[in-house]
Amino acid sequence: MHWRPRVGFVGDVIPFSHDGRVWLFYLLDERPDDPTAGPSGMPWALVSTTDFVHYVDHGVVLPAGDRDAVDFDCYTGSVVADGSRLHLFYTGHNPRRGSADGSYQVVCHAVSDGDPTQWTKLPADTFGAPNGFVPQDWRDPFVYRTAPGQPWQMILAARYADVPDRRAGVVARLTSPDLERWELAAPLWEPHRYITQECPDLFQWGDWWYLVYSEFSDAFQTRYRVSRTPDGPWLAPARDSVDGRAFYAAKTVEFEGRRFFVGWIPTRQGDTWQWAGDLAVLEAHQESDGTLAFGLPSEVVAAYDEPEDVKLSPLDGASPDPGQGATDRYASWIGDVVPPHCLITLTVDVAPGTHSFGLLLHATEDGEQAAVLRLEPHRNRLVLDQWPRGRTGPAQWQIHGDVPHAVDLERPCPLPPGRHTLQVLLDGPTAQAVVDHRIALSFRTEPSGRVGLFVTDGAVEVVDLQVARTGS
C-alpha cells in the first residue's frame, strides 16, 4: 500500500488529477550504493493510480540536468493544465552554482502536449529570486487560479533577506497572464515564525480556502491554515497539523470530488529519520468549522477484506475479560503474531477517568517488548512509545525514563468517554494509525511479533479487535 520504486525512494510528491487518473510525480532519491560513482542529480519520476491501491510505474519523466545545468537537481513544483497543454513548474538547483552562503534555487518550466509522461524543458523561462529575497531559498513553485479566466498565480517557499532566520520565512507570490511572464505581487502569507514554509499548496473546499505547507522550524510537520478568501487572513484551526514527523511534504489533489493528501514516510537509519522513503496517502474530511479530519482512503480499507477476530490472553493476573483493568494498575492482554502486511481495527468503549489504553504492536510473548500506540484521554493525545526505549542496563538512566514517548510522534486527539476506533495499517516496517477517522499518525516499526491490548488505571469495553489481510 505504501508504494516505492524498485530502485530508490519516494521524495516530495506532486499529485495531479488528469484524464481520470491521479498522476503522482515525485522526486526520485536513488541513493546509489557505489560511493565512487560520483554525484548524480535528482529527477522527477511518475506513478499513477485510480484507487491508491494499484499503481502503474512510469519511471523517470523529467530527467535531471547535466553536471553544470541550473536544474542538476529537479526539486519540488506543481503541474497545471491550460486547455490541452500541461505545464510543469519545478525548482532547479545545482550545488556547484551559488555563493559561499549556499547554492541558488531557481524556478524552471517544462511543457507537454497532454501526455503526463512526456515533457519538454523551456530553459528561457528560468528565473531566480528578486531583490529582497534570499536566492538560496526560492523553491517549490505552486501554480493555480482562483477562478477560470483569472490571472495565474504562483506561490513559493521563500525567505526575506536581512531578517533573523526563524522569522524570515514567507510564502512569496507572483502573477502571470500566460504562464510565461511572471511579476512579483504581495506575499500570500508572512507568519514571522518559520525559516521557510516548504511545498506550499492552495485549494478551495466549499466556503473555505486552505493553505498547506511543511515547516522545519518548530517541528518537521505538514500543517495547514484556513481562510474565507484566497488571499487570507490565514487562521490556525484547533488541529493545524496533518500528521506527525513521519508524514512529510504532503501536497494535495482533488479526485472525483474527494481531497487526498499525499506525502512520504521517511526511512530511518538507527534513530535518525532520513530524507525520502515510501509514498503515503491520507483522505481529508471537512468539519463544519473548516478543520480537517484525516483517515485512510476507503479503497485502502476495502482492500483488507479477510478480517479475523483476535483472541487475547491475560498477562500478569489481568482480568480474563480483555479491557477490564483496574483503577490502580496496568493490565495487558496478548494475542497471536500478526502478518507483516495487515489492517488492525480496535473498537472500544472507554470508561470515564481511564488514564490510558492502546495497542501493543510487534510484541514479545510476554508483552514486555513492543511498539506501543498509547491513547491518553486525560491529555487528549495519541503517542507512539517503545519498550525498551534505549538499551537496558544496571543504571536507571539507561532505560530513557526521561523520554516518555517518541516526542516527534505525538498527536492531539480528543478522547472523551465513549466509543473510539483505532485503525493501524501495517505494511512491513511502514505503518499508519488513525483514530476515529480524524487523527492520523504515521510511523515505522519492526515488522514481526504479536498484537496486544493494554489499559492503565481504568477500563475499556472491547467491542471488537480484528486483523484483516489483503485479498488482492
Side-chain angles (χ1 to χ4, degrees):
M1 293 298 169
H2 299 94
W3 189 86
R4 180 194 289 183
R6 288 186 299 107
V7 177
F9 300 85
V10 176
D12 297 357
V13 181
I14 300 93
F16 176 58
S17 179
H18 176 70
D19 198 23
R21 298 186 69 80
V22 178
W23 303 84
L24 301 170
F25 300 89
Y26 66 94
L27 309 191
L28 175 59
D29 183 5
E30 297 177 282
R31 296 189 196 172
D33 293 329
D34 182 6
T36 66
S40 59
M42 180 168 289
W44 278 30
L46 175 63
V47 62
S48 67
T49 184
T50 59
D51 57 9
F52 299 102
V53 176
H54 304 95
Y55 293 91
V56 177
D57 186 359
H58 303 279
V60 171
V61 296
L62 187 75
D66 62 31
R67 186 181 185 278
D68 297 318
V70 295
D71 65 346
F72 174 80
D73 292 313
C74 299
Y75 286 160
T76 307
S78 60
V79 178
V80 295
D82 185 18
S84 61
R85 202 174 205 205
L86 305 181
H87 294 257
L88 187 157
F89 294 89
Y90 65 104
T91 305
H93 168 265
N94 190 324
R96 286 170 290 277
R97 289 173 171 258
S99 67
D101 296 326
S103 51
Y104 298 156
Q105 296 177 338
V106 294
V107 173
C108 301
H109 187 194
V111 293
S112 166
D113 289 334
D115 183 350
T117 69
Q118 302 292 325
W119 297 93
T120 300
K121 295 181 180 181
L122 302 177
D125 291 351
T126 300
F127 64 92
N131 291 335
F133 293 89
V134 175
Q136 290 81 14
D137 284 297
W138 185 251
R139 65 176 178 273
D140 308 341
F142 179 81
V143 175
Y144 63 98
R145 274 175 165 162
T146 57
Q150 291 296 309
W152 293 97
Q153 300 191 47
M154 176 188 292
I155 54 176
L156 303 106
R159 277 197 298 139
Y160 285 130
D162 302 320
V163 174
D165 281 350
R166 210 168 71 85
R167 302 198 298 274
V170 58
V171 180
R173 178 165 52 174
L174 302 94
T175 61
S176 172
D178 56 10
L179 295 171
E180 295 179 4
R181 297 166 292 159
W182 293 95
E183 293 185 1
L184 188 65
L188 186 67
W189 189 41
E190 298 177 276
H192 300 276
R193 179 177 176 184
Y194 304 118
I195 296 171
T196 191
Q197 300 78 222
E198 296 189 301
C199 302
D201 188 305
L202 186 79
F203 64 90
Q204 184 180 15
W205 193 346
D207 294 332
W208 293 96
W209 286 83
Y210 293 85
L211 172 62
V212 181
Y213 62 96
S214 292
E215 57 102 350
F216 52 91
S217 305
D218 297 342
F220 281 90
Q221 281 188 302
T222 300
R223 298 187 186 271
Y224 69 97
R225 293 292 185 265
V226 298
S227 177
R228 291 293 191 180
T229 79
D231 298 313
W234 297 103
L235 307 178
R239 302 190 311 272
D240 73 337
S241 55
V242 176
D243 199 317
R245 169 65 177 91
F247 184 81
Y248 196 67
K251 294 172 73 69
T252 82
V253 63
E254 182 182 3
F255 183 62
E256 297 184 344
R258 299 155 66 188
R259 178 66 56 172
F260 298 92
F261 281 62
V262 190
W264 45 271
I265 297 177
T267 54
R268 287 179 72 99
Q269 187 172 41
D271 293 331
T272 302
W273 294 105
Q274 297 175 296
W275 191 88
D278 303 308
L279 186 146
V281 182
L282 292 169
E283 183 173 358
H285 304 277
Q286 190 181 51
E287 299 182 350
S288 59
D289 64 352
T291 300
L292 297 180
F294 297 94
L296 299 172
S298 57
E299 295 85 349
V300 171
V301 174
Y304 293 87
D305 55 2
E306 300 177 15
E308 297 179 0
D309 291 333
V310 176
K311 296 180 180 179
L312 295 171
S313 300
L315 295 173
D316 301 329
S319 168
D321 188 5
Q324 297 306 299
T327 58
D328 63 346
R329 64 163 291 179
Y330 169 90
S332 60
W333 299 261
I334 200 73
D336 290 333
V337 173
V338 298
H341 304 272
C342 66
L343 178 67
I344 302 171
T345 303
L346 169 69
T347 303
V348 295
D349 278 319
V350 181
T354 297
H355 187 273
S356 67
F357 68 97
L359 287 177
L360 306 174
L361 301 173
H362 306 314
T364 53
E365 187 175 4
D366 61 2
E368 179 69 3
Q369 298 185 25
V372 182
L373 276 173
R374 188 169 69 238
L375 295 94
E376 301 178 343
H378 69 303
R379 291 191 174 100
N380 283 319
R381 71 181 182 184
L382 165 69
V383 302
L384 182 76
D385 199 356
Q386 183 83 33
W387 192 262
R389 293 176 185 145
R391 62 188 179 91
T392 57
Q396 290 177 329
W397 59 265
Q398 290 176 307
I399 65 171
H400 288 197
D402 55 347
V403 183
H405 56 267
V407 295
D408 52 356
L409 297 177
E410 175 184 329
R411 302 287 291 125
C413 184
L415 293 166
R419 184 158 296 191
H420 297 281
T421 298
L422 172 62
Q423 296 172 302
V424 184
L425 179 60
L426 297 179
D427 196 9
T430 307
Q432 290 177 284
V434 174
V435 179
D436 296 334
H437 311 288
R438 298 176 78 198
I439 309 299
L441 177 65
S442 300
F443 59 99
R444 285 193 176 272
T445 184
E446 295 299 325
S448 63
R450 300 170 182 265
V451 64
L453 171 74
F454 73 92
V455 180
T456 303
D457 298 329
V460 300
E461 178 185 347
V462 179
V463 178
D464 62 55
L465 174 57
Q466 295 184 326
V467 175
R469 305 168 186 264
T470 178
S472 60

